[in-house]
Structure formats: C-alpha cells, structure tokens
C-alpha cells in the first residue's frame, strides 16, 4: 500500500522549496507531503495553541510550524500522524541552522489512507554555510523530531528569511516578505506586507512623567493580525500615511514586544512599536492581502460566552438610540455613548454600545447589516456588548454571512419577535466549572496568563490579612459603589454628582493564603470579606479609629482558618508592569465531612485488592 501512495508524494519538493534555483516547479508550489509527527508547541497560551509538524517528501523531512488559523485541521482530528497533505500556502525560513516551514494553509487528502512513515527520509540540510545570516528567532526545535546535535547547533545559530511561496506578486524590492505569524522579538531584518484594518484616533496623555501622544493600527495578512503603535514623532510621521483599508510594506527596525492585552483585542502574543527608522511604504499592488478577518459569534450563543471575553459579531441593526453623556469612572471626564439593538436569525436581540466620535457620527440606517470586530461581552442586563476602542465595524460587508442574514431578514426576520438574554447569569450561562487546584498547579498551569479569564477553586488557609487600606469610602447611591472624596464637610461622588453626609465603607481586602504546595495573594471584595472578617467594613473601620488594638485582634482572628475559595485569575497592569491578579468571587468554610469523604475515596484508589 505504501508503494502506491508514494507515487502521489512530491518527492524532492522540500529541497526545491528551500532552493531558489529550483523553486519554479509546479510541484514545489503546492507539494503533497506526509505528516510524520505532530507536537504541541511549549508555552503556547490556552486561547492560541501552536503546533509543530514534521513533513516528509520521502527523500527529506522538515520541521514546520502551523499558523493558528490552520489549527482547525488538528482540532477537528483531520491532521494526524501518517496522513497526507497538500501545502497551499506557506513561508520558508531558516532558523538556527535548521530549515523551518510556516504553514499558513493546507489540505488534508482524505482519499489517501494513513500509513506508517514511507521510506527513510533524511533531515533537509543547508547546502553551504554562506546561506546562514546573523539573525535569530524564537522557534526552537530542542527535543523535537530530527533534532541536530549540540555541535551542529553551535555551527549555525542564526536565521535567513527565504521568499514566501504564497505571495508571488510581491515587488522585487520587497522579495522576502515575512508573515505576521512569524514575528517575534528575536526576528530581525524583516518586511511584512499587511492591510491596515483599523486606525485609532490620536490620543494624548499627561502625567507626572510628562506628556505625549500616540495612535495605533491593526495590521492583517494571510497568517494573522498584529497591532502597531506610534508614539510622538512617529505619530506625527505615520498617522496620515496609514489609511484604513490600505496595504503597506513595513520594514524593520521596528520593536516587537509582548502585547499589552488590556489595549488590544487581536489574537497575537506580540505587538509592534514603530521606531525612528521604521520604513512604512504604501504598496502599489493592493491585492493579495485579505480584508478584515472575522470570527463571528451568533447573538443567540452569547449565553455560552464568559463575561469580559472579546468577540466578533454580526447582526441586523434593529434600533438606534440617541446619544447620551456618561462620566468616566477613571478620569471623571464626560464622554458620548449610543446604544444599538442588533438581531440575527437565532431569534435573539442584544444591546451594543458604541462610544466617543463613533457614537456621535453614527448615521447607519436601521435594517442595515453591521459586522463588529472587537466587542466586549458584559453580563449587564443578562448579556450586552461594548465596542472596544481598538475594535471596528463594517456596514453591509460583502461577505457570505451578511448576505445570508439580509436574505433571512427580508424573508421573515422583519416581522419576527426576538428574545433577550435578560436574567442570564455568568455561572449558569457560561456553564462554567471551577476545577479544584493546588496553589502550585495555579502557578505551573499559568492560570490568568492567557487572553481570557481563568476560573478555579482552591482549598487554602489564611496566614495573613493585610490591615493597611483594607476598605474604601463608597457612595451611598444604589448600584454605584464608586469611591467618594471628602470635601466641604461632605463626601462627594463624581459619578453620581451627589454629596453625602457620610460614606459607606466597603472592603478591598488582601489575603495571603497557603496550602501544602505554596502561597499566593488573593483579593476579596465586600461580600466575601464580610464573611471572612465577621463584620462589615463600616464596623471594622470605626473599631480601628477608636481601638486599634481591638481591630488588630479581629484581623488575627481571621488567620489560620481554612476556606474553599472560588477565584478568577486575570492579567492586570500595575505601575506599567503586568501581573496576574487572583480575585475571590466566593468562599465557603471547610466542610470536614465532605473532606473526609474525598480523602476516603482517594485512599480507595490505592487499594491493591
């Protein structure tokens, strides 16, 4: 059977791909290869898994990295060890003396049955030492199929970028186009060809360290998306050059750094910062680069989406409210907002809020189709959506989803009635499980380090309750809870624009907890902290003002007690540094009967009889 299948494989194509002298053959353009190994890439986040794949053409094998948009072939179980694939789009690179393919698109050939590795393929070697140029990248092959010896690694430690096979139309001056997917802090002398899918307004800041301005753009190519930001001089130089929808060549030097996830909704671990010598050139050919890429969530499926998740959605504009003014919680400055109502063919409607100039200049007619990219899911009113500053919207886009939605609405949707997500709760709607973890597992599994919030439960003992800044003075208005400021004999709330004779103190309690594997800091808000401290923050604040020793005894009383904490882990930005914050959403005292039953069940697992 192997001999028959071997006739379909593009033998020698891997050598042709990496040898520009032989790259013109048709087989090298879309070669058929055998997958001989698949392995998850270490350190990938839960929301953007990465895979390394070894491909063989019988004569040679080469290590490959699968672009995230092609992950579905593994997740659907179609790409397997022993199967055969046709490469449709890829990027050839040399990394630390090893040849690497970045696979952007491929087709699994189902009619060719899986089989064991055919032949005895050899690792694809470089032809001369002159091929290697002084560059490096983060793609590593330590411990992977066909790994070279340490001596060979020391001989060739750098990278050369080779021409991509998916962008033959690139101009001669930009022959070596780098895919966005392959950018990392260790890649140098690169050029990307990308479409600007979104450009922000110029934003300014003023603080104790000075003042400045910035703008950002979202950049898209076949392999993925990345955010680019220009500060001060680069803001002046590049802002007018970038236009939404335009295609640009961007050439290093340009800093590639870890993305600040609180400022971007793109699925990329890195972002760009334009530097003084960064070259940005508008491409003469505007084709060959995709338009905005969407990953839509239906309105009816919002019940299954966790709070604070960033999604794309599409719907029919049913209602448009008037603009209104709101006051920022952080800056206390007024800003405009407008609420839209969207519906789709799932029979649900949802409220979506747009902000600032987008809200004031909004002039889309009802019953238009609007596609939103980068909206945040809230549990306010069950489920609602908010367009992020880095997000975008496209009216009546020329895509299949929009055409189908318009056809449904014209045929029947105009007269339908729609349900809302009113009353859906985060726990019920999300079907969320909070797995029990030890503190060591929380740290080793990097909970909170991904783009989404991680939830877990842990059984731990309080070893220290922080007595400083354990509460804050809050507004007395219903559903406000914003911090108030003492002035002119009263307590003023900027959000409500009211002055109260006294505040209500609410907990922001920090606990250091420990189990047999380690310790972490947890943050508790009012409801949970009341349970742990045994009194309200008002009472404890008054006690501390009148008898500091007695207040200290209350804190001591909370120590050495064991609780089961339900927690959420999320990346937080503090003093320009990113850290994981563990927030307690619920706490229950230890149930000794239940704990004994769990231990008894564990003991039974060790029963050899």
């Amino acid at each position: 059977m192997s001999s028959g299948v071997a006739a379909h494989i593009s033998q020698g194509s891997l050598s042709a791909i990496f040898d520009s002298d032989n790259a013109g053959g048709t087989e090298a353009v879309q070669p058929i290869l055998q997958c001989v190994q698949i392995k998850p890439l270490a350190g990938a986040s839960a929301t953007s898994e990465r895979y390394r794949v070894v491909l063989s053409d019988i004569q040679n094998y080469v290590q490959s990295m699968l672009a995230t948009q092609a992950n579905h072939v593994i997740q659907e179980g179609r790409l397997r060890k022993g199967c055969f694939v046709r490469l449709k789009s890829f990027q050839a690179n040399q990394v630390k003396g090893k040849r690497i393919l970045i696979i952007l698109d491929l087709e699994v050939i189902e009619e060719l049955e899986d089989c064991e590795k055919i032949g005895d393929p050899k690792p694809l070697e470089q032809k001369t030492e002159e091929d290697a140029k002084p560059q490096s990248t983060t793609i590593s092959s330590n411990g992977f199929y066909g790994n070279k010896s340490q001596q060979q690694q020391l001989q060739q430690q750098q990278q050369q970028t080779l021409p991509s096979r998916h962008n033959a139309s690139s101009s001669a001056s930009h022959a070596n186009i780098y895919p966005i997917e392959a950018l990392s802090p260790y890649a140098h002398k690169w050029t990307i060809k990308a479409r600007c899918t979104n450009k922000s307004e110029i934003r300014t800041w003023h603080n104790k360290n000075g003042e400045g301005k910035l703008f950002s753009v979202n950049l898209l190519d076949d392999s993925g998306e990345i955010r680019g930001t220009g500060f001060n001089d680069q803001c002046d130089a590049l802002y007018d050059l970038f236009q939404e929808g335009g295609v640009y060549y961007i050439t290093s030097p340009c800093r590639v750094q870890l993305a600040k996830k609180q400022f971007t909704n793109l699925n990329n671990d890195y972002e760009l910062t334009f530097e003084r010598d960064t070259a940005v050139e508008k491409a003469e050919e505007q084709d060959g680069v995709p338009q905005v890429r969407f990953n839509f969530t239906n309105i009816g499926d919002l019940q299954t989406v966790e709070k604070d998740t960033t999604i794309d959605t599409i719907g029919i504009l049913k209602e448009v409210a008037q603009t209104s003014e709101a006051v920022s919680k952080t800056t206390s400055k007024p800003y405009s907002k407008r609420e839209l109502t969207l519906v789709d063919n799932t029979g649900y409607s949802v409220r979506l809020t747009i902000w600032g100039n987008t809200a004031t200049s909004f002039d889309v007619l009802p019953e238009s189709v609007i596609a939103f990219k980068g909206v945040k899911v809230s549990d306010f009113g069950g489920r609602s959506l908010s367009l992020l500053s880095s997000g975008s919207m496209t009216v009546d886009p020329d895509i299949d989803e929009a055409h189908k939605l318009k056809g449904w609405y014209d045929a029947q949707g105009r007269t339908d009635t729609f349900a809302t997500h009113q009353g859906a709760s985060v726990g019920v709607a999300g079907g969320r499980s909070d797995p029990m973890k030890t503190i060591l597992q929380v740290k080793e599994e990097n909970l909170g380090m991904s783009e989404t919030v991680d939830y877990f439960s842990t059984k731990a003992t309080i070893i220290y309750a922080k007595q400083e800044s354990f509460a804050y003075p809050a507004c007395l208005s219903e559903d406000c809870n914003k911090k108030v400021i003492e002035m002119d004999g009263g307590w003023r709330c900027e959000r409500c624009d009211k002055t109260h004779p006294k505040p209500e103190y609410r907990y922001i309690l920090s606990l250091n907890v420990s189990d047999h594997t380690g310790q972490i800091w947890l943050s508790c808000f009012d409801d949970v902290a009341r349970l742990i401290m045994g009194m309200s923050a008002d009472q404890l604040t008054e006690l501390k003002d009148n008898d500091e020793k007695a207040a200290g005894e209350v804190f001591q009383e909370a120590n050495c007690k064991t609780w089961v904490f339900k927690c959420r882990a999320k990346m937080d930005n503090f003093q320009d540094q990113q850290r994981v914050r563990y927030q307690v959403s619920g706490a229950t005292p230890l149930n000794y009967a239940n704990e004994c039953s769990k231990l008894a069940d564990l003991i039974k697992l060790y029963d050899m009889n």
Side-chain angles (χ1 to χ4, degrees), residues 495-515:
R495 178 184 179 187
C496 299
D497 195 21
K498 294 181 181 178
T499 300
H500 302 283
K502 66 174 184 177
E504 176 191 20
Y505 281 89
R506 297 178 63 86
Y507 281 111
I508 44 171
L509 183 64
S510 296
L511 300 176
N512 191 241
V513 302
S514 174
D515 66 6

Side-chain angles (χ1 to χ4, degrees), residues 444-458:
E444 286 187 339
E445 294 175 15
N446 294 321
L447 298 187
M449 298 289 286
S450 63
E451 294 180 9
T452 57
V453 179
D454 290 316
Y455 295 88
F456 66 94
S457 296
T458 189

Side-chain angles (χ1 to χ4, degrees), residues 106-287:
L106 80 167
E107 173 191 353
V108 178
I109 306 175
E110 303 289 353
E111 54 266 29
L112 298 181
E113 295 183 5
D114 300 359
C115 66
E116 294 297 321
K117 181 178 68 175
I118 300 176
D120 184 24
K122 306 299 181 185
L124 192 63
E125 302 287 352
Q126 288 182 324
K127 300 186 73 172
T128 65
E129 294 184 1
E130 295 176 358
D131 291 335
K133 302 295 181 183
Q135 297 179 356
S136 64
T137 184
T138 55
I139 306 172
S140 170
S141 57
N142 293 337
F144 195 47
Y145 186 97
N147 190 25
K148 292 184 182 178
S149 66
Q150 184 175 4
Q151 182 178 1
Q152 287 173 302
Q153 292 181 25
L154 292 173
Q155 289 174 348
Q156 297 176 330
Q157 292 184 341
Q158 308 298 335
Q159 170 205 10
Q160 175 193 18
T161 302
L162 296 175
S164 66
R165 303 290 179 233
H166 72 284
N167 193 11
S169 63
S170 298
S171 65
S173 61
H174 298 287
N176 296 339
I177 302 300
Y178 224 79
I180 286 175
E181 185 80 27
L183 291 177
S184 78
Y186 304 97
H188 305 289
K189 297 183 179 179
W190 49 260
T191 297
I192 61 173
K193 182 183 180 183
R195 188 179 301 278
C196 173
T197 59
N198 178 258
K199 182 175 79 167
S200 74
E201 299 175 358
I202 294 178
R203 297 189 291 273
T204 59
W205 77 86
H206 305 269
N207 57 33
K208 62 181 180 181
N209 297 321
E211 59 184 36
K213 55 186 173 181
L214 63 89
F215 84 104
S216 62
V217 291
N218 291 350
L219 302 169
L220 169 73
D221 71 3
D222 283 320
S223 70
E225 295 178 271
I226 195 168
R227 179 175 182 258
T229 302
F231 293 88
N232 299 325
D233 291 344
Q234 282 63 52
C235 179
D236 293 335
L238 300 176
Y239 186 79
D240 290 334
L241 176 59
F242 278 110
Q243 298 297 326
E244 289 187 7
V247 177
Y248 299 87
Y249 292 109
I250 301 168
T251 304
S252 60
C254 181
R255 191 189 320 156
V256 183
Q257 60 191 23
L258 283 173
K260 297 180 176 64
K261 293 298 184 181
Q262 69 272 31
F263 299 129
T264 179
N265 60 295
L266 301 184
N267 184 21
N268 198 320
D269 292 331
Y270 299 111
E271 64 184 13
L272 304 177
T273 299
F274 303 127
E275 297 183 337
R276 182 183 63 182
D277 296 324
T278 301
V280 179
E281 174 189 348
K282 189 166 185 176
E284 293 182 4
E285 63 279 12
Q286 294 287 299
D287 56 357

